[in-house]
Amino acid sequence: MRWPLAMLGSRVAWRMFARFALASFLPLAALSALFLLQVVRALERAATEELDGISRAVGQSVFDKLLGTLDLLVTLPGVPSANPSALGLTGAALIEDGRTTWLGEPFDLAGLPSELDPARPALWVLDDASGPRVAIASVAGAATVVGLVDPAKLEAAAALAGRGVEVCVFGPPLERDALFCAGSFSPIGREALAGAPPGAAGHLSWVDHGEDWRAAHWELFVPSRFAGESWRVVAAAPRSAMLQSLTDFNRVAPQTLALVLAVIALISVSLIRRTLNPLRTLVAATKRIAAQQFDTRVEASGNDEFAALGRALNDMTQRLGRQFSTLTTLAEIDRLILASESIDEVIEAVLTRAAVDLPAFELAVLLGDHEDDTLGRLYRRTRDGKSVVALFELSKGERDALAAAPGGTVLRPDGAYDGQRISLTEWPNGGVFAVPILRGQSLAGALLASLPDGSAWHAHDVAPLRELAGRFAVAITSAEREHALIRRAHFDPLTGLPNRRLCHERLEQALGQAHRDGRRVAVLFIDIDAFKSVNDLFGHGAGDELLRQTALRLSAAVRDTGTVGRFGGDEYLVILPALQDGEALTPVLERVTAALQRPFELAGRESFVTGSIGVTLFPDDGSSAEELVRKADTAMYTAKTGGRARCVYFAKEMDLRVQERLALSNDLRRASERGELFLVYQPQVRLDGHEVIGVEALLRWRHPTRGLISPALFVPILEETGLIEKVGAWVLHTALADLATWRSAGLPIERVGVNVTARQLLAPGFVDGLAGSLAAAGVGAPCLELELTETTLISDFPSANARLAELKSRGVRIAVDDFGTGYSSLGYLNELTFDALKIDRAFVVNLPTEKSLAIVKAIVAVAHALDKEVVAEGIEGELQRLHLARVGCDLGQGYFFSQPLNARELANWLSLRLASQAGPRPRSAA
């Protein structure tokens, strides 16, 4: 009872007790209430997100099981005696030539569509005595296979739901019973689901028998792979179960609050006791000062007599210790500058040291911002020893005052500077002594110091501060130089991302850690599709902006889960370390893909630029950084050649294709020297009169061991290796020479068509080489027709069109090949210089279907409106020829007239055709 009774007679004790009550008890109660509210919200939000994940996971699992069942179903024609139950089916039907063979339990085929799309199997729900059942039908060769999915196989997906969560999957329509449910789904919940607004996903709530329920529903988009309507997956749980953790928290909270209040009371009593018994502290401090322990400090807050005595003692200690500690501090700072590479580390260490060796001052360091000289970072240590870094605004008046006083000046809160801020009022009334830190001739920042007692400044006070500021200037210069060297060596200057070198280092580190921890590492190799087109169309400034925007998007998508680096050019590398399994990669990959699909703002316009992604996993695809990156690059190339804007995981077959491509590339370099390349010609026939007007020259390669190689395989290799210019010149020379031979033999062939790539067309010597080939063959320019694809033309439209206009002026004909499969823009078509449009065989092969006929009519109408000739490729039947003739198509070529023939075979074919005029529709004997 002694200390509480002593407290009653002390004004200082009462004041401290009142402050503790106001500063601790009341905020603690308010904070507890706010915390409880936030906990409830966080639990509900987390539970809702969990329901979202469960509905999606169950739906995806069901979809995967349907796809797996489909893969097994289509194998039934080859194994007619197979057991359906082993394939996840309760029954199956094999329909071929009007006969139905049942495997397992027969079922109703009333829902089977009359026509099945081979590319889109049918999926529907039929009702029987046991409830809704799922049926799948697909075309397998000449047969139609129908299977009834075993409900138990789909219901296995419900295992993904956690305890207490009810999951139901509904097929169309929602009024039908659920396909399966894990739990008893409430009829009220069914009504809430039926009344939910349309959308791919959403949330529901309802009250059933006094219980508040929360649910998440997700649309299983069946039409993405099947001909059928979407399903709906619902995951629901009672709100009480979602907030179970809150009940546990409420049991513990009162005891915790009581313990906190008890701790506060003990601290209060302890502080009051120390305040009322200062003599022991003063005596001990005096002894330490006598022993030259000048770091001694006495707590001296307030205005009572004890505080006054403590301040007097502290002032004396500070002045005595200043002389002893200055030289030691400066020597230690010099050592820190030499030993550290980071200015932040130097400042932290100096402030920590200064708090001990220069206790007379309260120090802070202001470092200016490189881009905005009005802002800076203020490094400061509070009295309790904590480091604080805050944004600091330095007014123009203060900057001018510092610049005018290299030896330092006093900045006062009541000074006449413009833009005064609250930050200065935190310092004593005696002002802040600021010594500029100079970087060469420019102001890099300032060393700020104050005297805690607010006394005036003297010359002996500021001398160590000037020494300290000079050393900070050396440290800043050294750190900035070191930082610049590191950034140049490890970071890309355009995007700020790690460069190729740093990416390899971080990947090596991630692989080492993953090997020790038994985890996985994913490598994503990303290449921007058609990046050259962006530079060509918008300029290199827009290309740089695209690279910067892509870097920002990828960094935001990956977040802090991995490293995003610029590997070179328009290539990026993403490293995702410490993955538990391959599934952990999925959400990051989805974010990366979504980031690349959004439009970019380039040159003031929205532009859609896609990216191709290749993925490898450690240790599945390789054990070294070089191997993983190489294989990810291979997968990316596969994605790009397969249509771009795709994500492809590495497979061993890709390495085999790369090796095969490399072998073909090496063989192709010697193919022309060995005479393995040759030309064949396909006639172009007038559809209304059947006259042969011209031929198209087609390049072929007969490999000595592999036989004929497809042009789709070796022509891209010609372009990549640069051989296309040499081989293209040979093709042009040979085709014109063969044309001259045919014409000298009296064959009425008006022209020969030769395919040309963009690289050939834009080569500097192309026009002169073409003129030389025409002169060597002795034929006129109108006898030559150059065929270019839409993609070739659009890659550099201004340059390509200018070159075409030059060729046109010399009499050479121009044909746009494969029209309708590329950009097909009327805007560029109106500006393009050309003579004929060639309709791609993709539209001819489906004639006379209504859709293909409409497209062909439109192309013919556009071409004739522009006064251009129309040539149809891929004609294989009389019906196709008749429809093309009826819509006004001028010329046609295809196997209906003749397969491609070599020069001698073509001459014989045409001679026989001219000799025999009996049949109106002559065919090739082949």
Side-chain angles (χ1 to χ4, degrees), residues 584-602:
L585 170 63
T586 302
V588 180
L589 199 56
E590 289 176 350
R591 292 197 300 269
V592 169
T593 303
L596 296 175
Q597 289 175 344
R598 299 197 307 271
F600 291 85
E601 186 74 21
L602 300 176

mmCIF file of all heavy atoms in Angstrom, residues 584-602:
data_model
loop_
_atom_site.group_PDB
_atom_site.id
_atom_site.type_symbol
_atom_site.label_atom_id
_atom_site.label_comp_id
_atom_site.label_asym_id
_atom_site.label_seq_id
_atom_site.Cartn_x
_atom_site.Cartn_y
_atom_site.Cartn_z
ATOM 1 N N ALA A 584 -0.111 -24.761 -59.020
ATOM 2 C CA ALA A 584 0.146 -23.428 -58.467
ATOM 3 C C ALA A 584 0.505 -22.418 -59.552
ATOM 4 O O ALA A 584 0.432 -21.206 -59.329
ATOM 5 C CB ALA A 584 1.276 -23.511 -57.435
ATOM 6 N N LEU A 585 0.912 -22.907 -60.721
ATOM 7 C CA LEU A 585 1.255 -22.027 -61.837
ATOM 8 C C LEU A 585 0.005 -21.450 -62.504
ATOM 9 O O LEU A 585 0.054 -20.361 -63.087
ATOM 10 C CB LEU A 585 2.089 -22.811 -62.855
ATOM 11 C CG LEU A 585 2.376 -22.167 -64.216
ATOM 12 C CD1 LEU A 585 3.194 -20.898 -64.042
ATOM 13 C CD2 LEU A 585 3.119 -23.148 -65.103
ATOM 14 N N THR A 586 -1.115 -22.129 -62.414
ATOM 15 C CA THR A 586 -2.309 -21.766 -63.191
ATOM 16 C C THR A 586 -2.781 -20.337 -62.953
ATOM 17 O O THR A 586 -2.999 -19.587 -63.915
ATOM 18 C CB THR A 586 -3.438 -22.777 -62.902
ATOM 19 O OG1 THR A 586 -2.973 -24.078 -63.241
ATOM 20 C CG2 THR A 586 -4.677 -22.436 -63.721
ATOM 21 N N PRO A 587 -2.996 -19.876 -61.687
ATOM 22 C CA PRO A 587 -3.505 -18.505 -61.518
ATOM 23 C C PRO A 587 -2.566 -17.438 -62.062
ATOM 24 O O PRO A 587 -3.018 -16.441 -62.627
ATOM 25 C CB PRO A 587 -3.682 -18.391 -60.000
ATOM 26 C CG PRO A 587 -2.868 -19.486 -59.412
ATOM 27 C CD PRO A 587 -2.858 -20.583 -60.409
ATOM 28 N N VAL A 588 -1.258 -17.630 -61.905
ATOM 29 C CA VAL A 588 -0.318 -16.639 -62.443
ATOM 30 C C VAL A 588 -0.383 -16.628 -63.964
ATOM 31 O O VAL A 588 -0.393 -15.567 -64.597
ATOM 32 C CB VAL A 588 1.118 -16.954 -61.961
ATOM 33 C CG1 VAL A 588 2.097 -15.923 -62.516
ATOM 34 C CG2 VAL A 588 1.176 -16.984 -60.452
ATOM 35 N N LEU A 589 -0.454 -17.822 -64.556
ATOM 36 C CA LEU A 589 -0.519 -17.910 -66.012
ATOM 37 C C LEU A 589 -1.795 -17.259 -66.536
ATOM 38 O O LEU A 589 -1.785 -16.597 -67.577
ATOM 39 C CB LEU A 589 -0.446 -19.376 -66.434
ATOM 40 C CG LEU A 589 -0.054 -19.651 -67.885
ATOM 41 C CD1 LEU A 589 1.269 -19.008 -68.222
ATOM 42 C CD2 LEU A 589 0.052 -21.150 -68.109
ATOM 43 N N GLU A 590 -2.892 -17.412 -65.810
ATOM 44 C CA GLU A 590 -4.141 -16.774 -66.231
ATOM 45 C C GLU A 590 -4.019 -15.256 -66.174
ATOM 46 O O GLU A 590 -4.497 -14.547 -67.064
ATOM 47 C CB GLU A 590 -5.287 -17.251 -65.334
ATOM 48 C CG GLU A 590 -5.681 -18.710 -65.567
ATOM 49 C CD GLU A 590 -6.741 -19.167 -64.587
ATOM 50 O OE1 GLU A 590 -7.025 -18.421 -63.618
ATOM 51 O OE2 GLU A 590 -7.291 -20.276 -64.781
ATOM 52 N N ARG A 591 -3.375 -14.740 -65.119
ATOM 53 C CA ARG A 591 -3.209 -13.283 -65.022
ATOM 54 C C ARG A 591 -2.297 -12.763 -66.130
ATOM 55 O O ARG A 591 -2.546 -11.691 -66.703
ATOM 56 C CB ARG A 591 -2.645 -12.911 -63.651
ATOM 57 C CG ARG A 591 -3.603 -13.147 -62.499
ATOM 58 C CD ARG A 591 -3.155 -12.399 -61.257
ATOM 59 N NE ARG A 591 -1.853 -12.792 -60.784
ATOM 60 C CZ ARG A 591 -1.634 -13.752 -59.898
ATOM 61 N NH1 ARG A 591 -2.666 -14.418 -59.391
ATOM 62 N NH2 ARG A 591 -0.408 -14.052 -59.502
ATOM 63 N N VAL A 592 -1.222 -13.481 -66.428
ATOM 64 C CA VAL A 592 -0.305 -13.062 -67.497
ATOM 65 C C VAL A 592 -1.034 -13.045 -68.835
ATOM 66 O O VAL A 592 -0.923 -12.088 -69.616
ATOM 67 C CB VAL A 592 0.921 -13.998 -67.543
ATOM 68 C CG1 VAL A 592 1.732 -13.758 -68.806
ATOM 69 C CG2 VAL A 592 1.793 -13.787 -66.316
ATOM 70 N N THR A 593 -1.800 -14.099 -69.122
ATOM 71 C CA THR A 593 -2.534 -14.169 -70.386
ATOM 72 C C THR A 593 -3.545 -13.041 -70.487
ATOM 73 O O THR A 593 -3.667 -12.378 -71.532
ATOM 74 C CB THR A 593 -3.250 -15.525 -70.503
ATOM 75 O OG1 THR A 593 -2.272 -16.582 -70.382
ATOM 76 C CG2 THR A 593 -3.952 -15.656 -71.841
ATOM 77 N N ALA A 594 -4.275 -12.774 -69.395
ATOM 78 C CA ALA A 594 -5.265 -11.696 -69.410
ATOM 79 C C ALA A 594 -4.607 -10.338 -69.604
ATOM 80 O O ALA A 594 -5.148 -9.461 -70.293
ATOM 81 C CB ALA A 594 -6.067 -11.712 -68.112
ATOM 82 N N ALA A 595 -3.428 -10.144 -69.013
ATOM 83 C CA ALA A 595 -2.729 -8.861 -69.145
ATOM 84 C C ALA A 595 -2.330 -8.588 -70.589
ATOM 85 O O ALA A 595 -2.354 -7.436 -71.048
ATOM 86 C CB ALA A 595 -1.491 -8.843 -68.244
ATOM 87 N N LEU A 596 -1.976 -9.634 -71.333
ATOM 88 C CA LEU A 596 -1.558 -9.457 -72.725
ATOM 89 C C LEU A 596 -2.742 -9.325 -73.673
ATOM 90 O O LEU A 596 -2.569 -8.918 -74.826
ATOM 91 C CB LEU A 596 -0.684 -10.627 -73.168
ATOM 92 C CG LEU A 596 0.652 -10.764 -72.435
ATOM 93 C CD1 LEU A 596 1.371 -12.030 -72.873
ATOM 94 C CD2 LEU A 596 1.527 -9.556 -72.670
ATOM 95 N N GLN A 597 -3.942 -9.659 -73.215
ATOM 96 C CA GLN A 597 -5.106 -9.602 -74.093
ATOM 97 C C GLN A 597 -5.785 -8.240 -74.079
ATOM 98 O O GLN A 597 -6.564 -7.937 -74.970
ATOM 99 C CB GLN A 597 -6.114 -10.690 -73.678
ATOM 100 C CG GLN A 597 -5.647 -12.103 -73.997
ATOM 101 C CD GLN A 597 -6.587 -13.144 -73.465
ATOM 102 O OE1 GLN A 597 -7.442 -12.875 -72.609
ATOM 103 N NE2 GLN A 597 -6.447 -14.382 -73.938
ATOM 104 N N ARG A 598 -5.499 -7.426 -73.054
ATOM 105 C CA ARG A 598 -6.125 -6.092 -73.011
ATOM 106 C C ARG A 598 -5.478 -5.179 -74.050
ATOM 107 O O ARG A 598 -4.285 -5.317 -74.357
ATOM 108 C CB ARG A 598 -5.969 -5.473 -71.621
ATOM 109 C CG ARG A 598 -6.613 -6.273 -70.517
ATOM 110 C CD ARG A 598 -6.788 -5.414 -69.278
ATOM 111 N NE ARG A 598 -5.554 -4.772 -68.877
ATOM 112 C CZ ARG A 598 -4.664 -5.295 -68.054
ATOM 113 N NH1 ARG A 598 -4.862 -6.498 -67.566
ATOM 114 N NH2 ARG A 598 -3.572 -4.637 -67.724
ATOM 115 N N PRO A 599 -6.249 -4.218 -74.616
ATOM 116 C CA PRO A 599 -5.684 -3.323 -75.635
ATOM 117 C C PRO A 599 -4.614 -2.409 -75.046
ATOM 118 O O PRO A 599 -4.678 -2.029 -73.871
ATOM 119 C CB PRO A 599 -6.902 -2.525 -76.121
ATOM 120 C CG PRO A 599 -7.877 -2.606 -74.994
ATOM 121 C CD PRO A 599 -7.674 -3.940 -74.355
ATOM 122 N N PHE A 600 -3.638 -2.052 -75.878
ATOM 123 C CA PHE A 600 -2.576 -1.131 -75.504
ATOM 124 C C PHE A 600 -2.873 0.247 -76.089
ATOM 125 O O PHE A 600 -3.475 0.360 -77.160
ATOM 126 C CB PHE A 600 -1.214 -1.621 -76.021
ATOM 127 C CG PHE A 600 -0.706 -2.854 -75.337
ATOM 128 C CD1 PHE A 600 -1.104 -4.115 -75.751
ATOM 129 C CD2 PHE A 600 0.163 -2.757 -74.269
ATOM 130 C CE1 PHE A 600 -0.631 -5.250 -75.127
ATOM 131 C CE2 PHE A 600 0.640 -3.891 -73.633
ATOM 132 C CZ PHE A 600 0.248 -5.134 -74.064
ATOM 133 N N GLU A 601 -2.431 1.284 -75.389
ATOM 134 C CA GLU A 601 -2.572 2.652 -75.882
ATOM 135 C C GLU A 601 -1.265 3.031 -76.570
ATOM 136 O O GLU A 601 -0.249 3.294 -75.921
ATOM 137 C CB GLU A 601 -2.861 3.602 -74.718
ATOM 138 C CG GLU A 601 -3.159 5.029 -75.155
ATOM 139 C CD GLU A 601 -4.546 5.174 -75.775
ATOM 140 O OE1 GLU A 601 -5.407 4.312 -75.517
ATOM 141 O OE2 GLU A 601 -4.755 6.131 -76.527
ATOM 142 N N LEU A 602 -1.279 3.040 -77.910
ATOM 143 C CA LEU A 602 -0.076 3.318 -78.684
ATOM 144 C C LEU A 602 -0.376 4.428 -79.685
ATOM 145 O O LEU A 602 -1.334 4.330 -80.449
ATOM 146 C CB LEU A 602 0.404 2.066 -79.429
ATOM 147 C CG LEU A 602 0.766 0.844 -78.571
ATOM 148 C CD1 LEU A 602 1.126 -0.325 -79.460
ATOM 149 C CD2 LEU A 602 1.902 1.171 -77.628
#
